[in-house]
Amino acid sequence: MSTAAVADTRPYHHGDLRRALVDAAIRILEREGPSALSLRAVAREAGVSPAAPYHHFKDKGELLEAVAHVGWEALGDGMSAVQDGVTELSSLMTEIGVAYVRFSQDHPALYRVMYDTARDKDSLPEGMQDKEDGAYCLVRNTFRDAAGPDVPAVDIELATIAAWCAAHGLAEMSGFAQFNPLKEAFGGDAGFLRAVLSHLGMFQSKRGDPT
Amino acid sequence: MSTAAVADTRPYHHGDLRRALVDAAIRILEREGPSALSLRAVAREAGVSPAAPYHHFKDKGELLEAVAHVGWEALGDGMSAVQDGVTELSSLMTEIGVAYVRFSQDHPALYRVMYDTARDKDSLPEGMQDKEDGAYCLVRNTFRDAAGPDVPAVDIELATIAAWCAAHGLAEMSGFAQFNPLKEAFGGDAGFLRAVLSHLGMFQSKRGDPT
DNA sequence: GTCCGATCTGGACAGTGCTTAGATACAAAC
DNA sequence: GTTTGTATCTAAGCACTGTCCAGATCGGAC
């Protein structure tokens, strides 16, 4: 009945429980999916009582926000990683889009949490638009650098938002059964993604002409 | 008094409880949002015991599928309603897209349930692609009619999927705070939607040229 | 060393999805 | 018109959830 055995591995005051809880949540997400992500399961995974998380997060939603934040950072890293190898704008934007969709395919549960919290707040994470290192800014800056100084800022913004909508839409649906025939026609998943993103003209930096 | 007439109003104990449950669920969705949509709340709203729904739906997911089905039909109606007034292809596809996003704005909770169940099954509702009266088919047929016989079917399919991705992405994010400045710049919500959809070239019926 | 505030636990409450056993009401057979 | 059968519905209960509370425990300031 001694506490020694427990205290051996886990001291009463966890060093950085907040971080440990976020890590545990992501581990559960990757292992069992979003439906298994309960606060109690996270506490269990971290080896702590069900009430412990409430000393670090106001409620479950705040934990999910922290999880989503980690996800957005990882997504931004994945997107900026493709920048180095590509120089041409059209290829660059398409490859950034592919990296975006790939992330959603590699971490579907995390991606779902990211957008669930975004939908609840009706906003992408604050700071993504203003800060210079966010994933959203990466896209906008790429458009801005390529467009030159004579293109109005509003058109840059339009292109960014349109590209983001296209990438998100494709990310959410690229796994749908309806796409399978077309994937084969375009030589697999990668070819399919590039075909859709190219078709949507992600690389356009100006507003479409009225036809 | 024939049984057919009785079946019209209330054929069994409570009446058409299956239908009543779906209606109750939609009522709760519109009134209190997706987080309030529990099976027990639906049963309460319909005035039956918590276990009653299980005689009409295998589980909560099956109820949500039925709810989503109603939503898809309403969305299809909204999209096909704009067909009559517009003749030019580019305008037509844009207006169909606007109708799509408008539906998601008018029924955000229902739209969320529709895609939650779709994500769980990794598929848009079965039949939407094959049947001739589904919303998905409406878009594809519009592309096909406009493209003419010399355009390969695979390109029609690509255009349809790309347009669907764009519309869904925009539908999910059009309420995000990031869009507000741009909405003003484009003269309100409607102008903003048309600008994004036009920019994404929803009306293109051919695969983009390799640049 | 004593005290304080931050951290964590155990227990509890209302609510959830779902199951089971039994009650009820209608349809058809006699 | 009674009986039988079956679909429908209820009541009770299980394991689980998010959240709160009183109290135990610990690290650091005095």
Side-chain angles (χ1 to χ4, degrees), chain A residues 12-13 37-40 44 50-51 54 59-60:
Chain A
Y12 192 92
H13 275 78
L37 189 65
S38 70
L39 240 188
R40 297 175 103 102
R44 251 176 341 242
Y54 285 90
D59 55 15
K60 185 186 181 184

Side-chain angles (χ1 to χ4, degrees), chain A residues 123-211:
Chain A
S123 164
L124 293 170
E126 300 164 21
M128 260 182 81
Q129 195 176 17
D130 306 327
K131 278 180 5 186
E132 282 304 310
D133 59 340
Y136 194 91
C137 265
L138 169 70
V139 176
R140 186 179 52 197
N141 292 348
T142 304
F143 275 125
R144 184 156 51 201
D145 294 347
D150 54 335
V151 175
V154 66
D155 286 344
I156 303 290
E157 207 68 42
L158 179 68
T160 305
I161 285 175
W164 201 276
C165 287
H168 171 63
L170 185 55
E172 286 228 297
M173 306 205 281
S174 70
F176 282 13
Q178 275 84 359
F179 293 64
N180 290 339
L182 214 57
K183 280 185 186 171
E184 295 178 18
F186 282 93
D189 190 71
F192 167 72
L193 296 184
R194 292 193 173 85
V196 175
L197 292 173
S198 297
H199 182 93
L200 286 170
M202 278 191 65
F203 51 85
Q204 294 174 13
S205 57
K206 294 197 176 187
R207 197 175 165 192
D209 301 320
T211 312

Side-chain angles (χ1 to χ4, degrees), chain B residues 105-207:
Chain B
Q105 292 172 336
D106 292 340
H107 311 281
L110 183 55
Y111 187 81
R112 197 148 158 181
V113 168
M114 286 158 63
Y115 266 93
D116 279 347
T117 64
R119 277 184 286 254
D120 285 341
K121 304 185 66 170
D122 267 320
S123 165
L124 293 170
E126 300 164 21
M128 259 183 81
Q129 198 177 16
D130 305 327
K131 279 180 5 186
E132 282 304 310
D133 59 341
Y136 194 91
C137 264
L138 170 69
V139 176
R140 185 180 51 195
N141 292 348
T142 304
F143 276 125
R144 184 157 53 200
D145 294 346
D150 54 334
V151 176
V154 67
D155 287 343
I156 303 290
E157 206 69 39
L158 178 68
T160 306
I161 284 174
W164 201 274
C165 287
H168 171 63
L170 186 54
E172 286 228 298
M173 305 206 281
S174 71
F176 282 14
Q178 276 84 358
F179 293 64
N180 289 340
L182 214 57
K183 280 185 187 173
E184 295 179 17
F186 282 93
D189 191 72
F192 167 71
L193 296 184
R194 292 194 173 84
V196 175
L197 292 173
S198 296
H199 181 91
L200 285 171
M202 278 190 65
F203 52 84
Q204 295 175 12
S205 58
K206 293 198 176 186
R207 196 176 166 190

Side-chain angles (χ1 to χ4, degrees), chain B residues 26-82:
Chain B
I26 293 176
R27 236 177 296 136
I28 292 173
L29 272 180
E30 305 276 340
R31 194 204 308 144
E32 306 170 60
S35 66
L37 189 66
S38 69
L39 241 185
R40 297 173 104 103
V42 172
R44 243 167 356 230
E45 174 84 16
V48 294
S49 82
Y54 287 91
H55 292 271
H56 300 272
F57 303 99
K58 174 173 127 285
D59 54 16
K60 185 186 181 183
E62 209 170 272
L63 205 203
L64 294 186
E65 275 182 50
V67 169
H69 184 75
V70 173
W72 287 113
E73 285 188 338
L75 174 57
D77 292 345
M79 289 167 73
S80 58
V82 307

